[in-house]
Amino acid sequence: MLTRYDTAPIKKLTKDAKTGFLHATNVPIARVGVFPYLKSDGSIEMEAKLPADLLNDSAIQSANGVPVTEDHPDGLVTKDNAKQYMKGFTATNAHVDDDTVRVDMVITDADLINDIDNGKNELS
């Protein structure tokens, strides 16, 4: 199985006054279209994300309650590496808006929160 990683721009942020965690709302995490992906050899390959594959119930539900990372780790985030890679998590409200899958996120990592406060605006 081939895994593709996209980045999500974060725009609507609020900071929890008690915890300092950042809450990002309605973050676009995937959309229908044809997109360039960098291959391991450095070349670019165009790949289609079709509505039937991306906007089905199973795909949408798979965005609920999953780790948020900074950039892309070399594999899946699991119990064995979550301490290293997990910087937050998605909520359980994944939904479709037009041709885009969106979900809320909570960022819990202090270093990443500082980076976001200083201008970083994309997460994985």
Side-chain angles (χ1 to χ4, degrees):
M1 181 174 132
L2 186 61
T3 301
R4 295 289 191 218
Y5 296 102
D6 296 314
T7 57
I10 49 177
K11 295 179 182 175
K12 298 178 185 176
L13 291 171
T14 57
K15 192 173 283 191
D16 184 286
K18 292 181 183 179
T19 65
F21 295 162
L22 284 182
H23 296 261
T25 56
N26 211 29
V27 179
I29 59 168
R31 64 186 165 106
V32 172
V34 179
F35 305 98
Y37 287 95
L38 183 64
K39 295 172 58 174
S40 60
D41 66 4
S43 65
I44 302 288
E45 180 175 76
M46 301 303 286
E47 186 172 310
K49 290 186 176 182
L50 304 174
D53 298 329
L54 190 65
L55 306 180
N56 66 66
D57 288 341
S58 176
I60 295 163
Q61 292 304 313
S62 73
N64 286 326
V66 296
V68 173
T69 65
E70 181 175 17
D71 304 319
H72 301 301
D74 288 334
L76 290 176
V77 178
T78 67
K79 66 178 181 64
D80 297 320
N81 63 16
K83 188 172 186 175
Q84 178 181 0
Y85 294 122
M86 189 169 167
K87 307 298 182 183
F89 53 91
T90 63
T92 57
N93 66 340
H95 61 282
V96 174
D97 183 8
D98 289 326
D99 63 353
T100 304
V101 178
R102 295 176 178 269
V103 69
D104 292 354
M105 297 179 180
V106 178
I107 311 305
T108 58
D109 181 78
D111 291 335
L112 181 54
I113 291 169
N114 288 334
D115 289 347
I116 292 168
D117 286 343
N118 289 309
K120 184 175 184 77
N121 66 358
E122 289 188 352
L123 298 173
S124 302

mmCIF file of all heavy atoms in Angstrom, residues 3 14 54 66-67 81 123:
data_model
loop_
_atom_site.group_PDB
_atom_site.id
_atom_site.type_symbol
_atom_site.label_atom_id
_atom_site.label_comp_id
_atom_site.label_asym_id
_atom_site.label_seq_id
_atom_site.Cartn_x
_atom_site.Cartn_y
_atom_site.Cartn_z
ATOM 1 N N THR A 3 1.482 5.152 0.725
ATOM 2 C CA THR A 3 0.976 6.188 1.617
ATOM 3 C C THR A 3 1.405 7.542 1.094
ATOM 4 O O THR A 3 2.575 7.742 0.759
ATOM 5 C CB THR A 3 1.527 5.998 3.041
ATOM 6 O OG1 THR A 3 1.135 4.699 3.500
ATOM 7 C CG2 THR A 3 0.984 7.051 3.975
ATOM 8 N N THR A 14 -7.257 29.060 18.321
ATOM 9 C CA THR A 14 -7.519 29.647 19.633
ATOM 10 C C THR A 14 -6.646 28.915 20.634
ATOM 11 O O THR A 14 -6.323 27.737 20.455
ATOM 12 C CB THR A 14 -9.009 29.517 20.048
ATOM 13 O OG1 THR A 14 -9.380 28.132 20.025
ATOM 14 C CG2 THR A 14 -9.916 30.299 19.115
ATOM 15 N N LEU A 54 -11.869 9.428 -1.658
ATOM 16 C CA LEU A 54 -11.588 10.380 -0.590
ATOM 17 C C LEU A 54 -12.814 10.765 0.238
ATOM 18 O O LEU A 54 -12.699 11.024 1.432
ATOM 19 C CB LEU A 54 -10.984 11.643 -1.210
ATOM 20 C CG LEU A 54 -10.410 12.665 -0.267
ATOM 21 C CD1 LEU A 54 -9.213 12.099 0.471
ATOM 22 C CD2 LEU A 54 -10.006 13.902 -1.040
ATOM 23 N N VAL A 66 -6.905 10.906 15.382
ATOM 24 C CA VAL A 66 -5.583 10.418 14.992
ATOM 25 C C VAL A 66 -4.501 11.430 15.369
ATOM 26 O O VAL A 66 -4.783 12.613 15.556
ATOM 27 C CB VAL A 66 -5.517 10.090 13.480
ATOM 28 C CG1 VAL A 66 -6.451 8.943 13.143
ATOM 29 C CG2 VAL A 66 -5.827 11.308 12.639
ATOM 30 N N PRO A 67 -3.259 10.970 15.478
ATOM 31 C CA PRO A 67 -2.169 11.874 15.850
ATOM 32 C C PRO A 67 -1.935 12.975 14.812
ATOM 33 O O PRO A 67 -2.103 12.758 13.618
ATOM 34 C CB PRO A 67 -0.940 10.954 15.908
ATOM 35 C CG PRO A 67 -1.494 9.586 16.097
ATOM 36 C CD PRO A 67 -2.806 9.581 15.375
ATOM 37 N N ASN A 81 6.100 4.809 18.998
ATOM 38 C CA ASN A 81 6.818 6.029 18.628
ATOM 39 C C ASN A 81 6.011 7.314 18.856
ATOM 40 O O ASN A 81 6.463 8.400 18.505
ATOM 41 C CB ASN A 81 7.294 5.961 17.172
ATOM 42 C CG ASN A 81 6.153 5.873 16.179
ATOM 43 O OD1 ASN A 81 5.005 6.147 16.485
ATOM 44 N ND2 ASN A 81 6.482 5.482 14.962
ATOM 45 N N LEU A 123 0.696 21.667 9.197
ATOM 46 C CA LEU A 123 0.894 20.452 9.988
ATOM 47 C C LEU A 123 0.619 19.253 9.115
ATOM 48 O O LEU A 123 0.046 19.369 8.037
ATOM 49 C CB LEU A 123 -0.059 20.418 11.184
ATOM 50 C CG LEU A 123 0.113 21.556 12.187
ATOM 51 C CD1 LEU A 123 -0.991 21.497 13.219
ATOM 52 C CD2 LEU A 123 1.464 21.477 12.839
#
